[in-house]
Amino acid sequence: MTRTEAENRSRSFTRHPEWRGHMPPTPEKPPDDHCADRDLAGERLRGGDSAPALDVFLSGQVFMDMIFTGLPGLPPPGTEVVTDGLGSAPGGIANIAVAMSRLGLRVGLAAPFGDDMFGSYLWRTLALQEGVDLGRSRKVPSWPTPVTVSMAYDSDRSMVTYAPPGPLTADELVGAAPPAARACFIDVDRPVPAWAVAMRAAGSLVVADLGWDQTGTWSSEVLDRLEHVDVFLPNAVEAMAYTRTGSPERAAEALAERLPVVVVKRGGEGAIAIDSVSGERAETPALPVRALDATGAGDVFAAGFVYGTLAGMPLDERLRFANLCAGLSVRHRSGSLGSPCWGEIAAFGESGEVPESILADYAFVIPFIPDAAADSAVRAEPTLRKEP
């Protein structure tokens, strides 16, 4: 179905009579496959066999995220709190790898994995359940898996992380010849890796984010690295700190002078974007949903923006699609495994959670939903639960 045909069928992403029953029953899927429609979405995105083997390539550290849910409060020193749920999910760089894969992007990841129980779980979940290509990743004997414990309470979270030094560098994992991909994803809080520079020279789009500056210096050296970047996705606090500006809008304008596309994420206030090549500017409010846990929402936003970019969406639609994906992810507590699949995106149009006037702004999403997408919300089941 072409985009024009879909728009003629339904001009709003809403509870339209033709929307009901639009999708046939869910096809049979492999065990533990929470997003059986991802391959169909990917085929529609690529539209042929001439595309590279990967859509996106990235490298980084994978963490074992353990997420306590249902907490009555955070434990004061010397006390214990008993809760009724403990979810586990791949974290760190896996947050964005999973979010991209669930949208149908073919994702390659270069990362070290421990040979302990956690490492085995992470490898199996990413490779078998989430379809991430781990051809450039390595299992490292006797190296303990990094772990983050997250305690979600009252729409916020506290975390404790154990992160032993990585046994292999990204360059060692990637090798002298990086894979062919339509895009690669990096962090610019450290020097741009040689493999990313090589991929850009070969035609790949370089998308970048960055982590929080623990030193508080907000060095201008970070901004100098943007000369190797095509799309930059900082949050508002980071953008203002690095550019020494007083508002997200002014920060976006300053960053747009350095690279083609900049997106400044404003959390509950939405996001703004500038394309300095086309002259496009866009702004969108946050999706008005009840946020339970914002863990990984920025990564889900980035995944949606990358998908929209590779799908050829105009800037305002890229921004809104990223906003939709992030908004869906914060409605429940489950880390990377809470990233939306197309089935959840489809179901949201029927949920009645937000007014139809708001859903209408997302009508452009309909043509991208696979016909076989399951019309039901997808939730990550916690791996450990208190027995009833």
Side-chain angles (χ1 to χ4, degrees):
M1 179 172 57
T2 67
R3 181 169 182 163
T4 301
E5 290 170 343
E7 288 175 343
N8 288 336
R9 287 186 63 179
S10 176
R11 299 298 298 179
S12 64
F13 185 50
T14 182
R15 297 172 296 284
H16 191 281
E18 291 190 19
W19 183 266
R20 294 191 185 95
H22 169 64
M23 289 163 289
T26 307
E28 291 187 7
K29 55 185 179 181
D32 298 324
D33 185 357
H34 298 287
C35 292
D37 46 41
R38 75 179 88 211
D39 290 338
L40 296 173
E43 291 172 4
R44 176 173 295 185
L45 172 70
R46 289 177 287 273
D49 298 327
S50 60
L54 297 175
D55 293 310
V56 187
F57 179 74
L58 63 166
S59 180
Q61 187 62 70
V62 179
F63 286 75
M64 179 69 189
D65 278 0
M66 305 183 72
I67 308 161
F68 286 94
T69 62
L71 288 170
L74 299 180
T79 67
E80 178 182 9
V81 171
V82 178
T83 187
D84 61 3
L86 171 63
S88 60
I93 194 66
N95 283 329
I96 191 166
V98 170
M100 289 177 173
S101 179
R102 289 192 164 196
L103 293 175
L105 298 176
R106 294 180 297 197
V107 180
L109 172 63
F113 288 78
D115 65 347
D116 52 16
M117 178 182 68
F118 287 160
S120 297
Y121 163 79
L122 294 173
W123 185 285
R124 182 177 65 254
T125 300
L126 290 174
L128 300 183
Q129 175 178 300
E130 299 300 334
V132 176
D133 185 336
L134 299 181
R136 302 278 177 139
S137 295
R138 296 291 180 271
K139 295 181 180 180
V140 182
S142 302
W143 182 63
T145 296
V147 177
T148 291
V149 174
S150 176
M151 293 170 283
Y153 169 69
D154 195 23
S155 299
D156 208 337
R157 66 191 187 279
S158 298
M159 296 183 288
V160 178
T161 293
Y162 167 69
L168 296 169
T169 67
D171 287 339
E172 290 173 324
L173 289 166
V174 176
R182 299 174 67 189
C184 64
F185 192 90
I186 64 172
D187 286 331
V188 290
D189 50 3
R190 46 189 174 271
V192 176
W195 58 264
V197 175
M199 290 184 69
R200 192 183 192 212
S204 296
L205 192 73
V206 177
V207 183
D209 204 337
L210 77 170
W212 183 259
D213 184 359
Q214 300 288 349
T215 69
T217 59
W218 307 102
S219 171
S220 60
E221 181 182 352
V222 169
L223 299 185
D224 293 338
R225 296 168 188 158
L226 296 179
E227 65 176 307
H228 303 292
V229 175
D230 299 293
V231 180
F232 186 39
L233 301 160
N235 66 40
V237 175
E238 296 161 346
M240 290 187 292
Y242 278 113
T243 58
R244 275 62 173 177
T245 55
S247 71
E249 293 78 12
R250 291 179 59 191
E253 291 171 356
L255 291 169
E257 296 177 0
R258 292 178 172 266
L259 77 161
V261 177
V262 60
V263 179
V264 176
K265 299 170 289 188
R266 301 181 299 181
E269 297 182 1
I272 55 178
I274 299 176
D275 186 327
S276 59
V277 177
S278 67
E280 293 175 276
R281 289 174 176 246
E283 182 173 354
T284 184
L287 199 68
V289 295
R290 183 184 176 218
L292 295 181
D293 182 14
T295 303
D299 293 322
V300 177
F301 181 99
F305 196 85
V306 170
Y307 178 93
T309 299
L310 297 182
M313 295 180 187
L315 186 65
D316 64 329
E317 292 185 1
R318 274 179 270 167
L319 196 64
R320 276 181 280 157
F321 182 67
N323 189 59
L324 173 65
C325 293
L328 294 179
S329 76
V330 303
R331 299 182 305 164
H332 46 93
R333 302 182 177 102
S334 48
S336 65
L337 300 186
S339 302
C341 302
W342 284 104
E344 183 171 0
I345 294 172
F348 185 67
E350 295 277 2
S351 68
E353 288 188 54
V354 300
E356 294 187 8
S357 59
I358 293 177
L359 289 176
D361 292 336
Y362 295 90
F364 68 91
V365 174
I366 295 175
F368 295 94
I369 299 175
D371 292 340
D375 191 6
S376 60
V378 175
R379 292 289 184 265
E381 290 293 326
T383 56
L384 298 174
R385 286 180 293 183
K386 182 178 179 181
E387 293 297 329

